[in-house]
């Protein structure tokens, strides 16, 4: 196969620049990678880019650990128009406090209070991203006092707090340490243009020139006179880049910018031009959460290759079969009329002998005064905490109507409640879905697909609020500071599930203990069920809001195009969050199958495309009071999805976060071989059966992050179409199963 792999050596790599704040920490050593494609004697078609990343949601960005990560630019000459900027797994975990400068050729100066050292990128040989080379005999306090340090043609330029420019270069080795010597041929230290460079938002160099970004303007500075010792000249290369906060350049004709890292968008835009810069790619990648970018600048850049870009270990796809026409039928389960689960104590031990109340749920109800949930029956937990309930063939008319309005799916709650020996009310609520027999064959099959599909939830009992307790109402500012809000603001889909517990008024600490009641931990306390009379739940509407929710993903890497259809009706199950006083915890899901009256999605997006599809869904917050024997025993709140609802003036759907990081060579190498297949040039593959994998952080509703799952059918599909190139194969793979089974999602390489 014709694959492109990135630059591994340093013989063509020269000065690149910018001081950043970090310090050396633990190093991660990934796999060895293959060599780059040689294009011309002194030209390369891919370059290395190093980014100091910050983690979204970090409370103290000035004190939190950083990650220095290696990226590869597969189209530095074209500004990302013909090739991707791909993230590697080569990283160094680093704290704050040290200035780092890229000298080029994979070499870095690190300036800290304890000394000045030189490191190099040794990942090409299987070593560390920051491998120690030498220490310098110099006063580190002097270097820490410089406001700007950057490299230009192998020399270090420094600007102090008074705006004076000085130049340095490597000297001799003395007593095992290197020295710095003054660099000859520098511009005047008092050159008036030096102040502009000192005050710039970002500074970098390429081809012996210095570049700055300030308030949306890119300027180029060039030394004049013999050996560059004359005054600096400047010219404007671009204006109006209003959302750019940082920039770098792999060569004189290319500039990349990064947008708004404070809200975690991190969108990289490309610009090219010998004089005035013009947009080459407004969406090279998303999610570059950076404090600084340090780019290699080779002597010469070549046009992008048309091979598949490879980052990481060499790819062997010789035994990959052709893609099937479509997945097989869904895997079997207990049956769509059966709901089941497991209740446990807070410590995970079974909650045996607990009565379980099964009630029907209308997720669209908005009765402010409260109304009892329709009771369907009861069950009792076994010794292992498990329970099961089969819906009767005939349901009350209002309950049957709920299912009919929801595409054949009936949402139910299973509630187990009681008190500890100390009188602490405990409750467990599991939201589940079934398909009543009266809905007919097609509706039941569709509803069953949306439902849990026979999966048994495990639900922990949690401390409940006493009846009549006042629940907190977070302010808009508090909701904006939550994990959910920061996840929603990210431009990249999450790599891990949301936390088990979340606050709607901030971010919970790692030591959060929801079972601490008045200083006593009740997670292991025995819970005694209520024994008096009939039990029921009174549900009261509190508030609603509309939030765009992830319902699908489309992926298209090299020479492929993605299409996603989400038409006519909802086909998604969304997590429900429950709060028994303060913080929130996921507790099952509600399935939505009502008609939307809209056809939406995206068509033929790519190549190097991977995005979520989000649709507007209304979310309701409710207060619930649990009664037994006519006496209110406990209360809790819930947040659940209700219906498709377009906000006034809003889109019917929109592209969500960037999920291109799930595609590419390294992810293909890590995938199970049984899940792989390829598409012939001009061919396609689509998922139109089964359930998607769960989308973590699919929505932020009332300050809480919820996940979601979509069922594929004739109106809800993920599709990929291959281009006509024949110099490499179009490989795809299923996330959780083979492509002819129930893969959930499929990805692209």
């Amino acid at each position: 196969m014709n694959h492109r792999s990135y630059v591994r050596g340093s013989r063509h790599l020269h000065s690149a620049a910018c001081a950043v704040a970090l310090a050396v920490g633990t190093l991660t050593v990934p796999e060895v990678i293959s060599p780059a494609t040689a294009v011309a004697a002194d030209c390369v078609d891919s370059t290395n880019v190093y980014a100091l990343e910050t983690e979204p949601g970090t409370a103290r960005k000035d004190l939190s650990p950083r990650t220095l990560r290696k990226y590869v630019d597969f189209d530095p000459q074209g500004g990302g128009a013909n090739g991707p900027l791909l993230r590697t797994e080569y990283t160094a975990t680093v704290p704050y406090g040290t200035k780092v400068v890229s000298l080029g050729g994979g070499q870095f100066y690190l300036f800290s209070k304890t000394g000045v050292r030189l490191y190099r990128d040794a990942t090409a040989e299987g070593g560390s991203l920051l491998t120690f080379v030498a220490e310098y005999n110099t006063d580190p306090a002097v270097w820490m006092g410089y406001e700007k340090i950057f490299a230009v043609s192998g020399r270090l330029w420094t600007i102090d707090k008074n705006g004076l420019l000085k130049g340095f270069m490597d000297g001799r080795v003395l007593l095992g340490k290197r020295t710095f010597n003054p660099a000859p041929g520098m511009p005047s230290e008092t050159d008036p243009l030096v102040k502009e460079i000192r005050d710039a938002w970002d500074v970098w160099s390429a081809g012996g020139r210095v570049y700055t970004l300030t308030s949306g303007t890119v300027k180029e500075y060039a030394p004049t006179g013999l050996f560059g010792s004359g005054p600096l000249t400047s010219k404007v290369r671009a204006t109006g880049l209003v959302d750019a906060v940082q920039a770098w350049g792999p060569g004189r004709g290319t500039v990349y910018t990064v947008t708004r890292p404070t809200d975690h968008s991190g969108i990289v835009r490309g610009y090219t031009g010998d004089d005035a810069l013009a947009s080459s790619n407004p969406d090279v990648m998303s999610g570059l959460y950076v404090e600084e970018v340090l780019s290699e600048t080779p002597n010469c850049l070549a046009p992008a290759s048309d091979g598949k870009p490879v980052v990481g270990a060499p790819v062997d796809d010789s035994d990959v079969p052709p893609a099937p026409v479509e997945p097989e039928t869904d895997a079997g389960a207990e049956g769509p009329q059966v709901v089941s689960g497991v209740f446990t104590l807070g410590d995970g031990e079974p909650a045996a002998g607990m009565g379980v109340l099964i009630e029907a749920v209308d997720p669209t109800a908005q009765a402010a005064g409260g109304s009892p949930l329709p009771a369907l029956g009861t069950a009792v937990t076994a010794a292992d905490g498990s329970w099961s309930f089969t819906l009767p063939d005939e349901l009350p008319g209002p309950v049957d109507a709920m299912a009919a309005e929801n595409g054949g799916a009936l949402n139910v709650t299973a509630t187990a409640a009681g008190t500890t020996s100390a009188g602490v009310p405990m409750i467990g609520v599991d939201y589940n879905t079934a398909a009543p027999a009266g809905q007919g064959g097609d509706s039941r099959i569709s509803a069953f697909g949306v439902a849990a599909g026979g999966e048994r939830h495990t639900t922990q009992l949690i401390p409940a609020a006493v009846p009549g307790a006042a629940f907190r109402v977070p302010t808009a500012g508090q909701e904006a500071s939550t994990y959910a809000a920061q996840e929603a603001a990210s431009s990249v889909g999450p790599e891990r599930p949301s936390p088990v517990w979340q606050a709607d008024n901030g971010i919970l600490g790692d030591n959060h203990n929801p079972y601490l009641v008045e200083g006593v931990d009740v997670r292991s306390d025995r819970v005694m069920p209520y024994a008096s009379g009939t039990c029921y739940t009174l549900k009261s509407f509190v508030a609603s809001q509309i939030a765009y929710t992830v319902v699908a993903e489309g992926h298209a890497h090299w020479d492929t195009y993605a299409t996603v259809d989400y038409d006519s009706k909802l086909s998604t199950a969304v997590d429900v969050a429950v709060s028994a006083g303060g913080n929130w915890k996921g507790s099952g899901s509600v399935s939505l199958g009502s008609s939307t009256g809209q056809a939406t999605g995206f068509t033929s997006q790519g190549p190097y495309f991977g995005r979520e599809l989000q649709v507007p869904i209304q979310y309701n917050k409710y207060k619930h009071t649990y009664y037994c024997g006519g006496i209110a025993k406990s209360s809790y709140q819930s947040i659940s999805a209700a219906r498709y609802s377009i906000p006034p003036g809003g889109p019917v759907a929109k592209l969500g976060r960037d999920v291109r990081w799930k595609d590419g060579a390294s992810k293909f190498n890590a995938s199970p071989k049984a899940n792989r297949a390829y598409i012939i040039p001009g061919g396609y593959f689509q998922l139109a059966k089964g359930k998607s994998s769960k989308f973590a952080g699919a929505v932020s509703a009332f300050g809480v992050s919820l996940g979601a799952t979509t069922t594929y059918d004739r109106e809800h599909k993920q599709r990929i179409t291959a281009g006509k190139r024949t110099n490499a194969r179009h490989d795809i793979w299923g996330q959780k199963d083979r492509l002819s089974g129930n893969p959930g999602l499929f990805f692209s390489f």
Side-chain angles (χ1 to χ4, degrees):
M1 297 298 108
N2 182 8
H3 298 150
R4 284 188 285 163
S5 51
Y6 67 85
V7 176
R8 65 173 295 175
S10 60
R11 53 184 177 162
H12 301 316
L13 303 180
H14 291 271
S15 64
C18 280
V20 299
L22 55 90
V24 179
T26 304
L27 301 180
T28 300
V29 182
E31 71 274 12
V32 179
I33 48 87
S34 50
T37 304
V39 179
D42 210 22
C43 295
V44 295
D45 62 358
S46 57
T47 60
N48 298 324
V49 178
Y50 303 90
L52 179 62
E53 301 177 338
T54 57
E55 186 71 18
T58 301
R60 289 292 307 278
K61 296 184 178 4
D62 57 332
L63 300 178
S64 300
R66 285 14 178 191
T67 298
L68 181 68
R69 185 183 299 275
K70 184 175 184 176
Y71 289 75
V72 183
D73 181 357
F74 280 95
D75 184 25
Q77 186 188 73
N82 306 296
L85 178 65
L86 294 183
R87 184 180 73 167
T88 78
E89 299 308 312
Y90 299 101
T91 63
T93 302
V94 292
Y96 83 108
T98 294
K99 297 178 180 179
V100 175
V101 175
S102 171
L103 182 63
Q107 298 183 89
F108 305 91
Y109 288 117
L110 277 75
F111 303 94
S112 73
K113 294 179 181 180
T114 60
V116 178
R117 298 172 181 87
L118 179 67
Y119 292 80
R120 72 181 183 93
D121 173 7
T123 56
E125 304 99 63
S128 300
L129 179 59
L130 292 177
T131 298
F132 177 77
V133 175
E135 188 169 2
Y136 286 79
N137 185 15
T138 186
D139 184 358
V142 172
W143 292 90
M144 294 298 291
Y146 291 127
E147 293 196 359
K148 288 282 196 302
I149 309 175
F150 52 94
V152 184
S153 299
R155 302 178 179 187
L156 287 176
W157 288 30
T158 66
I159 304 175
D160 65 20
K161 62 183 179 180
N162 297 315
L164 299 181
L165 172 69
K166 297 183 182 298
F168 298 90
M169 56 194 305
D170 265 21
R172 61 195 178 97
V173 177
L174 181 64
L175 299 178
K177 293 185 178 182
R178 293 187 182 181
T179 60
F180 284 118
N181 293 333
M186 292 288 294
S188 169
E189 66 177 15
T190 59
D191 192 307
L193 291 182
V194 172
K195 185 178 186 306
E196 288 188 7
I197 299 174
R198 174 197 171 205
D199 295 339
W201 292 2
D202 208 357
V203 182
W204 68 99
S205 74
R209 310 293 176 90
V210 177
Y211 296 85
T212 64
L213 170 69
T214 306
S215 300
T217 297
V218 173
K219 294 186 73 172
E220 177 186 295
Y221 301 83
T224 60
L226 186 63
F227 305 115
S229 60
L232 293 170
T233 61
S234 69
K235 65 178 179 179
V236 174
R237 294 291 306 277
T239 59
L241 311 183
V242 293
D243 61 358
V245 293
Q246 294 183 23
W248 77 91
R252 286 188 59 186
T254 302
V255 169
Y256 292 100
T257 66
V258 184
T259 69
R260 297 183 296 273
T262 54
D263 68 0
H264 309 303
S265 58
I267 299 171
V268 177
R269 308 194 193 284
Y271 302 87
T272 58
D274 293 332
D275 189 15
L277 294 170
S279 174
S280 55
N281 186 346
D283 186 18
V284 177
M285 69 165 291
S286 297
L288 195 65
Y289 307 133
V290 292
E291 294 204 354
E292 191 56 86
V293 181
L294 303 99
S295 175
E296 304 286 11
T297 56
N299 284 340
C300 174
L301 297 177
S305 163
D306 64 353
K308 291 171 71 173
V310 174
V311 174
V315 173
D316 180 11
D317 59 2
S318 57
D319 59 348
V320 173
V325 176
E326 62 183 11
E328 298 164 0
T329 57
D330 299 335
E334 291 181 24
Q337 285 186 257
V338 177
V339 290
S340 62
V342 177
F343 283 109
T344 72
L345 304 178
D347 61 3
E349 289 297 311
M354 298 292 296
V356 180
L357 173 63
I358 314 297
E359 298 169 296
V361 175
D362 178 4
T364 67
Q366 293 190 350
S371 58
L373 296 180
L376 300 175
T378 60
V380 177
T381 59
D384 62 355
S386 65
W387 60 272
S388 178
F389 179 80
T390 301
L391 265 64
D393 289 339
E394 293 187 12
L395 294 172
V399 174
D400 207 45
M402 287 182 191
E405 287 292 321
N406 197 39
L410 179 65
N411 291 295
V412 302
T413 59
T415 305
T419 62
T420 68
S421 57
V424 177
M426 303 289 285
I427 197 164
V429 185
D430 181 10
Y431 282 75
N432 217 313
T433 309
Q439 296 302 310
D442 290 343
S443 293
R444 292 183 68 217
I445 291 171
S446 175
F448 177 52
V450 178
E455 300 169 4
R456 290 202 312 180
H457 304 152
T458 296
T459 305
Q460 292 176 315
L461 302 182
I462 61 176
V466 297
F471 293 98
R472 74 181 179 211
V473 181
T475 65
Q478 288 174 328
E479 284 192 13
S481 68
T482 60
Y483 170 88
Q486 297 197 23
E487 188 64 75
S490 169
S491 61
V492 176
E495 298 188 44
R496 52 187 177 272
S498 300
V500 174
W501 285 90
Q502 298 179 57
D504 58 7
N505 63 347
I507 295 178
L508 291 178
D510 295 336
N511 60 348
H512 172 65
N513 182 1
Y515 291 95
L516 205 60
V517 180
E518 297 182 354
V520 178
D521 193 322
V522 299
R523 78 182 73 195
S524 299
D525 288 6
R526 180 187 173 192
V527 179
M528 296 166 287
Y530 298 117
S532 55
T534 302
C535 300
Y536 68 93
T537 303
L538 187 71
K539 174 181 173 182
S540 301
F541 174 77
V542 176
S544 69
Q545 64 177 224
I546 297 172
Y548 282 84
T549 305
V550 179
V551 295
E553 283 182 11
H555 292 266
H557 199 62
W558 175 79
D559 195 30
T560 52
Y561 304 88
T563 296
V564 166
D565 293 326
Y566 194 86
D567 298 345
S568 301
K569 62 182 175 64
L570 288 172
S571 184
T572 297
V574 185
D575 289 348
V576 176
V578 168
S579 168
N583 300 318
W584 296 82
K585 183 179 185 293
S587 192
S589 61
V590 292
S591 298
L592 307 180
S594 59
S595 174
T596 66
Q598 302 285 341
T600 189
F602 51 76
T603 303
S604 299
Q605 298 288 326
Y608 303 118
F609 173 89
R611 295 288 287 273
E612 301 167 335
L613 176 70
Q614 298 177 339
V615 301
I617 292 178
Q618 176 185 310
Y619 289 82
N620 293 336
K621 179 186 283 189
Y622 297 100
K623 176 183 177 181
H624 307 260
T625 304
Y626 186 78
Y627 285 81
C628 275
I631 300 173
K633 298 292 188 179
S634 60
S635 63
Y636 64 94
Q637 284 187 304
S638 69
I639 298 170
S640 59
R643 56 164 63 90
Y644 179 82
S645 182
I646 305 171
V652 298
K654 63 182 182 180
L655 288 180
R657 296 165 297 190
D658 191 327
V659 288
R660 282 177 282 195
W661 60 269
K662 299 181 181 181
D663 300 314
S666 62
K667 299 298 183 182
F668 176 84
N669 279 336
S671 68
K673 289 187 176 181
N675 294 5
R676 302 173 183 174
Y678 71 87
I679 316 166
I680 62 172
Y684 73 90
F685 173 77
Q686 72 178 18
L687 283 180
K689 294 180 181 178
K691 288 180 60 179
S692 74
S693 300
K694 190 167 188 175
F695 304 114
V699 65
S700 172
F702 294 102
V704 180
S705 181
L706 307 173
T709 306
T710 289
T711 298
Y712 299 116
D713 55 30
R714 291 187 298 269
E715 298 169 321
H716 307 88
K717 300 185 289 288
Q718 179 193 356
R719 177 175 175 140
I720 189 170
T721 303
K724 299 297 182 66
R725 294 184 187 178
T726 58
N727 60 332
R729 276 225 304 257
H730 311 272
D731 293 298
I732 59 175
W733 67 97
Q735 182 177 34
K736 62 181 183 180
D737 193 8
R738 67 194 192 283
L739 289 164
S740 59
N742 188 14
L745 292 170
F746 66 83
F747 307 124
S748 170
F749 164 57

